[in-house]
């Protein structure tokens, strides 16, 4: 069935004849013989999957040519296995933006540019930092359905106890606040930390961009030793392990409860500030509804006010595998998911940010506590994302090891990131 069958009655009639012939030959995908079955293999599970299934049901009810069957399959390896064969087991799926380049370079993703052009999809309405991850060698291989932005979250109760009026504007102010918000008992044991990483890889890459660093150049080649990256990680080591001791910080953080639980250290007053994403608006309402918290733009170095509004953007994306049985129909469903109404419903259910600029003022997001600060962050010209390249996974792994060594002060930020730069020079072009 061709894409034009959704617009022209003559093509629809031809497609109907072909579908009937295939059905007579045992070629039906099952279900309603008058519909083409599109398999949507998605990574979400639990409540998120339930919300997605409602949207799938609405799409199926909205037209009579396609029947989407959702399959919750949170396993990247199974995705890759399916996409490596001559004919895949699904027609559309989701991934994360930093993986687009790696998968596109393997030839397992279908380019979307012809679909985008034919339907006049306005890609300018999508946040630029997100769209930059959708491209590989000048072609579009994925589209963003939801975004995530890193901002500074702070515990208002701990701020009040420390006599601090509000969140910092500059990194210098933040360093002073971290000192006031960190507590130790008589024997030096840490009982409260002014700042702790919610997740070290994302927190450290965000610290780098906060100080004007870039983890990739314009061509996508890794630039881990950028001076701004070094300065960001130096800020952490000087203000946390360098001040309070590696062993002491490790002992304190080893007692942290599960991230997605009521025992999250930020929820139970063990940590005063964190860098984290918009989903916390939903998490806090679920796990710590009585927490008095706030969220603010990331601080910037006082000498670099042009960095105000910096944030790191990550993306949840939709793609069509090159070996999909029904790519045209999969695109019709992808368009539906990317439509304004479906995108709002989907991101609200997950507590994520919309990928469309036109939705940043949508009043439906007012139901999520303090969500507007994250929405506003996407408007900033300093919103940026890591490059999506064939070597993204290798680079991420090397950075992860270096970040751990730096946090444990087994190496300095300059030495650790220089070592990653040496490794990155051998990544395949």
């Amino acid at each position: 069935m061709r894409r034009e069958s959704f617009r022209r009655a003559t093509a629809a009639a031809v497609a109907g004849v072909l579908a009937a012939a295939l059905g007579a030959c045992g070629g039906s995908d099952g279900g309603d013989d008058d519909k083409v079955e599109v398999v949507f293999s998605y990574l979400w599970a639990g409540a998120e999957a339930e919300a997605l299934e409602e949207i799938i049901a609405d799409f199926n009810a909205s037209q009579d040519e396609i029947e989407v069957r959702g399959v919750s399959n949170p396993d990247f390896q199974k995705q890759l296995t399916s996409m490596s064969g001559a004919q895949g087991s699904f027609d559309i799926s989701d991934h994360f933006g930093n993986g687009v380049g790696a998968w596109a370079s393997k030839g397992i993703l279908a380019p979307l540019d012809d679909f985008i052009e034919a339907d006049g999809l306005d890609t300018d309405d999508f946040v630029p930092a997100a769209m930059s991850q959708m491209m590989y060698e000048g072609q579009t291989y994925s589209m963003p359905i939801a975004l995530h932005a890193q901002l500074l979250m702070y515990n208002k109760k701990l701020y009040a106890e420390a006599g601090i009026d509000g969140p910092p504007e500059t990194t210098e102010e933040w360093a002073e606040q971290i000192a006031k918000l960190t507590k130790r008992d008589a024997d030096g044991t840490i009982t409260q930390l002014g700042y702790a990483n919610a997740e070290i890889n994302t927190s450290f890459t965000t610290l780098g961009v906060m100080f004007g660093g870039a983890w990739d150049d314009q061509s996508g080649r890794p630039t881990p030793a950028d001076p701004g990256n070094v300065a960001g990680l130096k800020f952490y080591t000087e203000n946390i392990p360098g001040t309070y001791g590696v062993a002491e910080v490790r002992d304190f953080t080893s007692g942290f409860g599960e991230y997605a639980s009521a025992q999250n250290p930020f929820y139970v007053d063990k940590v005063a500030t964190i860098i984290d994403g918009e989903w916390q608006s939903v998490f806090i309402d679920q796990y710590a509804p009585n927490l008095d918290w706030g969220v603010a733009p990331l601080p910037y170095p006082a000498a670099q006010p042009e960095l105000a509004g910096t944030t790191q953007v990550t993306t949840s994306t939709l793609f069509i595998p090159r070996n999909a049985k029904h790519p045209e129909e999969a695109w019709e469903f992808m368009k539906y998911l990317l439509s304004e109404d479906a995108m709002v419903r989907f991101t609200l259910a997950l507590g994520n940010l919309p990928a469309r600029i036109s939705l940043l003022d949508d009043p439906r997001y007012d139901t999520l506590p303090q969500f507007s600060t994250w929405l506003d962050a996407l408007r900033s010209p300093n919103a940026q994302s890591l490059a999506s390249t064939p070597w993204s996974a290798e680079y991420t792994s090397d950075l992860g090891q270096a970040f751990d060594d730096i946090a444990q002060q087994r190496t300095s930020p300059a030495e650790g990131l220089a070592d990653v730069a040496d490794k990155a020079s051998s990544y395949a072009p």
Side-chain angles (χ1 to χ4, degrees):
M1 182 182 295
R2 297 180 57 81
R3 182 167 65 254
E4 290 81 357
S5 66
F6 300 100
R7 301 175 184 82
R8 300 190 180 101
T10 54
V14 172
V17 171
L18 290 174
L22 287 172
C25 296
S28 172
D29 291 316
D32 190 335
D33 290 340
D34 294 331
K35 295 185 178 183
V36 174
E37 182 183 72
V38 167
V39 178
F40 180 23
S41 177
Y42 53 81
L43 299 174
W44 293 282
E48 296 174 339
E50 292 177 8
L52 191 56
E53 287 293 338
E54 291 182 4
I55 297 174
I56 292 173
D58 288 345
F59 171 78
N60 289 339
S62 72
Q63 44 73 52
D64 58 8
E65 297 186 7
I66 302 170
E67 184 76 16
V68 174
R69 176 167 61 88
V71 179
S72 179
N73 183 23
D75 188 326
F76 288 127
Q77 190 55 49
K78 287 185 178 179
Q79 278 185 322
L80 283 169
T81 300
S82 172
M83 291 189 288
S84 300
Q87 189 172 73
S89 61
F90 60 86
D91 301 290
I92 180 173
S93 188
D94 65 286
H95 194 33
F96 298 103
N98 62 350
V100 173
W103 286 13
S105 68
K106 297 178 187 296
I108 58 178
L109 300 185
L112 303 177
D113 299 277
D114 288 346
F115 293 137
I116 291 171
E117 182 178 358
D119 287 313
L121 182 66
D122 182 13
T123 56
D124 288 341
D125 189 36
F126 291 78
V127 174
M131 284 304 300
S132 68
Q133 286 194 322
M134 306 300 103
M135 311 289 293
Y136 177 68
E137 294 188 342
Q139 288 189 293
T140 308
Y141 285 93
S142 196
M143 286 298 295
I145 178 67
L147 305 186
H148 322 286
Q150 298 291 310
L151 294 180
L152 185 72
M153 299 180 63
Y154 61 102
N155 184 311
K156 291 184 177 181
K157 172 189 171 185
L158 300 186
Y159 263 65
E161 291 176 353
I164 304 174
D165 292 334
E169 183 173 339
T170 67
T171 54
E172 289 82 358
E173 292 172 351
W174 190 25
E176 293 175 359
Q177 291 185 359
I178 289 172
K180 292 179 181 179
L181 291 162
T182 299
K183 295 180 181 180
R184 293 181 286 184
D185 61 18
D187 65 1
T189 300
I190 298 172
T191 59
Q192 178 181 300
L193 203 53
Y195 168 74
N197 298 308
E199 192 277 321
I200 188 170
N201 281 26
T202 305
S203 295
F204 272 21
T205 51
T206 302
L207 284 169
V209 299
M210 281 171 54
F211 280 80
W215 295 97
D216 315 271
D217 63 20
Q218 291 186 345
S219 69
R221 294 300 307 185
T223 56
D226 183 289
N229 298 337
V230 175
L233 272 57
K234 187 177 179 181
F235 175 89
Y236 174 79
T237 57
E238 288 183 344
N239 288 285
I240 305 299
T243 297
Y244 303 107
V246 172
E248 290 77 6
V249 171
R250 183 171 58 244
D251 288 346
F252 179 66
T253 57
S254 67
F256 284 176
E258 291 291 328
Y259 178 82
S261 77
Q263 286 70 51
N264 182 306
F266 182 70
Y267 304 164
V268 294
D269 301 339
K270 287 187 175 182
V271 175
T273 64
I274 57 172
I275 293 174
D276 215 344
E278 76 292 335
W279 56 84
Q280 281 288 356
S281 179
V282 173
F283 275 23
I284 292 173
D285 188 54
Q286 178 180 356
Y287 297 117
N290 296 320
L291 181 68
D292 191 9
W293 64 285
V295 60
L298 295 172
Y300 55 86
Q304 297 173 279
E306 69 275 9
L307 295 177
T310 294
T311 186
Q312 182 180 179
V313 175
T314 56
T315 59
S316 293
T317 73
L318 299 169
F319 69 88
I320 298 172
R322 190 177 287 276
N323 64 2
K325 295 179 183 178
H326 306 294
E328 290 86 3
E329 291 80 6
W331 169 251
E332 291 299 317
F333 177 54
M334 185 186 292
K335 278 197 308 178
Y336 182 85
L337 290 174
L338 296 174
S339 67
E340 292 190 357
D341 186 65
M343 184 177 288
V344 170
R345 291 179 57 199
F346 178 74
T347 52
L348 273 176
L350 275 63
N352 291 164
L353 301 167
R356 286 182 176 271
I357 297 170
S358 57
L359 293 176
L360 299 182
D361 289 318
D362 195 294
R364 286 173 284 186
Y365 292 107
D366 293 344
T367 60
L368 299 177
Q370 305 192 57
F371 207 68
S372 61
T373 307
W374 277 289
L375 289 166
D376 288 343
L378 296 180
R379 307 177 198 274
S380 173
N382 288 330
Q384 54 187 288
S385 60
L386 303 183
S388 181
T389 64
W391 49 80
S392 291
E394 189 175 2
Y395 187 27
T396 298
S397 177
D398 288 339
L399 282 176
Q401 181 59 59
F403 290 166
D404 184 63
D405 288 341
I406 291 167
Q408 300 302 318
Q409 296 204 301
R410 291 188 286 264
T411 187
S412 70
E415 293 170 343
L417 295 180
D419 182 58
V420 176
D422 288 342
K423 294 176 180 177
S425 65
S426 65
Y427 295 165

